[in-house]
C-alpha cells in the first residue's frame, strides 16, 4: 500500500446502497474498498483482522445504532476516520456525530457529487497531514476552519433537509409518541395517540419506515384486506 492509499470499509445493511458507495468510491484514485459489513458485529469482527483508514458508516444498522458503533470504534481504533451516510437527520444524532469526531455527515438519499467531493476533501486533508511532520499556525487554522465549516454545513443540512410534506416539529412530536409504544399499531391507532389525521399519520409513519426507524408488519385477518401495522425497530 502506498503512503497515499486509502483503504475504505463500508458499514451498511442495505446491499444496494453499499454497492453504489463501493462503485463510486472506486472511481477515485488511491481509494480501495477492502470490506463491506452489514452489521455492527460484522464490522467489529473485520476490524480485528485489518484497520482501514476510512469507514463509511450508516446509522440504522440491524444490531446497533451507528453512532454507538462510532464511539465503540473510537475506543479501540482511534486512527480510523469516519464519514456517516444515513437517513438520520435529527439533531441528537448530528450532535453526537460531531462530538464523536466524524469527518463528514451525508444525508440519504445521497447526492453523488456531494459524496465524491467529501471523499476528495478527506483525501486532500489526509495528504496535508501525512506529508508534513510540522505544520504552521496558518495551515492549522485552515484545516480546522475548513473541517469545522464542512461539519457545520452537514449538520445544518441534516436538520433542515426534510422531504416535502414532513415538518420538523410534527416529526419530533411523532417520534416522541411512537417511541413510547411497545407493540404494533395501525395508522388509526397511532393517529389517535398523536392527535393528528389519518393521512398525516400515515405519511409520517412511512417516512420513519424509509429511515428504518420503524418497521411494517402485515397482519392477515380472517376476512377483509391485510392490515399494515407499525412498530419501532429495535435499533432506534
Amino acid at each position: 500500500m502506498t503512503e497515499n492509499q486509502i483503504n475504505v470499509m463500508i458499514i451498511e445493511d442495505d446491499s444496494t446502497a453499499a454497492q453504489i458507495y463501493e462503485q463510486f468510491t472506486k472511481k477515485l484514485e488511491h481509494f480501495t474498498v477492502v470490506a463491506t459489513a452489514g452489521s455492527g458485529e460484522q464490522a467489529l469482527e473485520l476490524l480485528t483482522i485489518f484497520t482501514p483508514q476510512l469507514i463509511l458508516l450508516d446509522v440504522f444498522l440491524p444490531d446497533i445504532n451507528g453512532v454507538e458503533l462510532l464511539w465503540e470504534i473510537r475506543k479501540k481504533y482511534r486512527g480510523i476516520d469516519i464519514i456517516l451516510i444515513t437517513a438520520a437527520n435529527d439533531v441528537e444524532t448530528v450532535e453526537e456525530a460531531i462530538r464523536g469526531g466524524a469527518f463528514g455527515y451525508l444525508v440519504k438519499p445521497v447526492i453523488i457529487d456531494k459524496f465524491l467531493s467529501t471523499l476528495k476533501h478527506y483525501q486532500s486533508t489526509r495528504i496535508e497531514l501525512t506529508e508534513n511532520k510540522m505544520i504552521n499556525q496558518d495551515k492549522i487554522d485552515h484545516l480546522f476552519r475548513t473541517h469545522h465549516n464542512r461539519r457545520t454545513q452537514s449538520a445544518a443540512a441534516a436538520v433542515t433537509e426534510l422531504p416535502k410534506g414532513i415538518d420538523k416539529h410534527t416529526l419530533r412530536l411523532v417520534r416522541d409518541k411512537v417511541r413510547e409504544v411497545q407493540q404494533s399499531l395501525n395508522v388509526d391507532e397511532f393517529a389517535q395517540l398523536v392527535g393528528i389525521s389519518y393521512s398525516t399519520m400515515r405519511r409520517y409513519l412511512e417516512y420513519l419506515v424509509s429511515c428504518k426507524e420503524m418497521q411494517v408488519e402485515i397482519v392477515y385477518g380472517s376476512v377483509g384486506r391485510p392490515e399494515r401495522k407499525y412498530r419501532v425497530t429495535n435499533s432506534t
Side-chain angles (χ1 to χ4, degrees), residues 159-160 162 166-175 204:
V159 174
T160 59
L162 291 172
I166 302 294
D167 171 74
K168 65 179 180 180
H169 301 294
T170 306
L171 180 60
R172 185 180 300 114
L173 171 65
V174 171
R175 274 196 174 113
Y204 281 84

Side-chain angles (χ1 to χ4, degrees), residues 15 30 33 39 49 53 57-58 73 95 106 151 158 164 178 184 219 226:
S15 59
H30 300 306
V33 177
S39 68
I49 301 171
Q53 283 71 48
L57 174 62
D58 187 19
I73 293 170
E95 286 179 340
L106 299 175
R151 290 201 305 174
K164 184 178 180 180
V178 300
S184 300
V219 179

Side-chain angles (χ1 to χ4, degrees), residues 101-124:
F103 185 87
Y105 197 111
L106 299 175
V107 180
K108 294 179 180 179
V110 176
I111 300 171
I112 294 303
D113 287 346
K114 178 71 172 176
F115 175 84
L116 294 174
S117 68
T118 300
L119 292 187
K120 288 176 183 176
H121 175 63
Y122 171 75
Q123 183 181 37
S124 65

Side-chain angles (χ1 to χ4, degrees), residues 81-96:
D81 294 306
I82 297 173
I83 295 173
L84 276 81
I85 307 179
T86 176
N89 56 4
D90 58 284
V91 173
E92 294 88 350
T93 301
V94 175
E95 286 179 340
E96 277 299 292

Side-chain angles (χ1 to χ4, degrees), residues 217-234:
E217 298 175 357
I218 306 299
V219 179
Y220 294 89
S222 56
V223 294
R225 297 172 58 185
E227 182 180 31
R228 290 171 69 87
K229 290 198 171 186
Y230 300 79
R231 69 178 301 139
V232 176
T233 60
N234 293 330

